[in-house]
């Protein structure tokens, strides 16, 4: 994986601005606001696998907004599939809000406005692939603009495991092997969403409520000594009402 940029070398006070500039101006052309105070350590690494670009990122708390004005600077027509390894993220698009973290990923269309928010540091793997390549693999279903992918069972689990292995082994693989793996990975992604379209139950994560409760309890335990701790602060930190 090639290092795109990192904030490690910046003083703590300058890290978020360095992260904002790196993401917004050099990488994906979005607007960004700070979500919560943190040490703002972050990095982005990337590798090309034929039709799929695989990105591993550690993001500090942030609120990303892709507006129509940002899209005017983008020459790609593509989807993102986010697989969060640590933390939680939430994507908003077309009036739909999707929360993804342990046990589920999120597909969203990068070529229309969206918002992406994480209130705590999040380490993720992102897949980027063209709309044309994705839709060519789907049969008799509407292309989902924003959707969930179960990653703790079935095809979704295979996709998650495969992505983690590809991140680790990218530098050991030849360009031809990376191309082949990218084709197979995109086939699996299309297969997963094809299957969930025919069986909506496949996209339901029955463990997510208990996972969210564990996250909330951990936040409360960590911040019990904070005199400012209240329900509103807990809700904002955990991305709930």
């Amino acid at each position: 994986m090639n290092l795109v940029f990192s904030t490690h070398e910046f003083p703590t006070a300058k890290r978020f601005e360095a992260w904002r500039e790196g993401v917004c101006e050099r990488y994906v052309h979005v607007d960004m606001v700070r979500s919560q105070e943190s040490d703002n350590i972050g990095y982005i690494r990337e590798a090309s696998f034929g039709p799929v670009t695989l990105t591993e990122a550690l993001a500090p708390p942030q609120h990303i907004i892709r507006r129509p004005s940002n899209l005017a600077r983008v020459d790609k027509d593509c989807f993102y599939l986010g697989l969060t390894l640590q933390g939680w993220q939430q994507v908003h698009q077309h009036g739909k809000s999707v929360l993804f973290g342990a046990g589920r990923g999120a597909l969203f269309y990068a070529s229309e406005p969206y918002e992406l928010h994480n209130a705590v540091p999040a380490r993720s793997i992102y897949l980027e692939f063209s709309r044309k390549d994705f839709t060519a693999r789907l049969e008799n279903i509407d292309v989902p603009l924003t959707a969930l992918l179960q990653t703790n069972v079935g095809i979704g689990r295979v996709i998650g495991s495969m992505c983690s292995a590809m991140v680790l082994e990218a530098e050991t693989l030849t360009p031809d092997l990376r191309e082949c793996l990218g084709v197979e990975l995109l086939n699996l992604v299309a297969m997963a969403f094809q299957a969930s379209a025919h069986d909506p139950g496949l996209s339901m994560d029955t463990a997510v409520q208990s996972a969210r409760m564990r996250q909330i309890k951990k936040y409360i335990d960590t911040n019990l000594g904070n005199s400012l701790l209240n329900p509103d602060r807990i809700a904002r930190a955990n991305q709930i009402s």
Side-chain angles (χ1 to χ4, degrees):
M1 300 286 280
N2 298 317
L3 181 67
V4 178
F5 68 88
S6 168
T7 64
H8 284 75
E9 68 272 22
F10 292 90
T12 301
K14 295 184 178 181
R15 283 177 185 158
F16 185 80
E17 182 56 30
W19 176 259
R20 188 205 64 76
E21 181 180 348
V23 172
C24 298
E25 301 300 327
R26 289 189 283 153
Y27 198 61
V28 290
H29 302 304
V30 292
D31 294 330
M32 180 189 295
V33 294
R34 191 194 301 259
S35 178
Q36 300 282 340
E37 292 296 327
S38 78
D39 60 11
N40 296 312
I41 289 289
Y43 64 81
I44 291 178
R45 300 193 302 155
E46 182 182 274
S48 176
F49 287 82
V52 179
T53 298
L54 211 61
T55 300
E56 182 202 6
L58 173 64
Q62 62 183 1
H63 184 180
I64 285 175
I65 307 171
R66 174 162 274 184
R67 309 179 194 274
S69 57
N70 302 125
L71 289 169
R73 303 170 59 191
V74 177
D75 59 0
K76 298 179 181 178
D77 185 21
C78 64
F79 277 91
Y80 293 144
L81 176 61
L83 308 173
T84 304
L85 307 177
Q86 296 175 355
W88 289 87
Q89 294 180 278
Q90 193 164 28
V91 62
H92 305 268
Q93 189 171 54
H94 284 276
K96 184 176 181 179
S97 181
V98 173
L99 181 72
F100 61 108
R104 60 181 184 176
L107 177 80
F108 56 102
Y109 186 38
S111 300
E112 291 191 13
Y114 66 82
E115 295 185 37
L116 182 65
H117 178 246
N118 56 284
V120 295
R123 188 167 73 89
S124 307
I125 295 175
Y126 274 90
L127 287 66
E128 177 189 307
F129 42 86
S130 79
R131 179 187 178 100
K132 180 180 178 181
D133 285 344
F134 183 46
T135 56
R137 289 167 164 81
L138 299 175
E139 298 179 3
N140 303 318
I141 67 168
D142 293 332
V143 179
L145 293 185
T146 314
L148 288 174
L149 173 67
Q150 279 261 67
T151 57
N152 56 357
V153 294
I155 299 174
R157 186 173 183 177
V158 173
I159 291 170
S161 298
M162 186 173 177
C163 288
S164 295
M166 289 165 70
V167 165
L168 291 174
E169 301 298 332
E171 294 181 5
T172 71
L173 301 172
T174 66
D176 286 345
L177 284 174
R178 289 203 302 270
E179 171 91 23
C180 291
L181 283 171
V183 170
E184 294 305 320
L185 179 58
L186 188 52
N187 288 339
L188 284 173
V189 171
M191 188 186 303
F193 284 100
Q194 186 88 36
S196 64
H198 294 297
D199 184 356
L202 291 174
S203 65
M204 298 300 294
D205 183 2
T206 56
V208 70
Q209 292 296 333
S210 60
R212 292 304 306 279
M213 186 58 69
R214 289 195 299 271
Q215 177 190 6
I216 292 167
K217 287 181 177 179
K218 182 178 179 180
Y219 177 84
I220 293 172
D221 289 342
T222 303
N223 292 277
L224 273 177
N226 187 344
S227 61
L228 298 177
L229 187 68
N230 57 41
D232 183 61
R233 193 180 189 93
I234 295 168
R236 288 200 311 271
N238 291 277
Q239 305 175 39
I240 59 176
S241 62

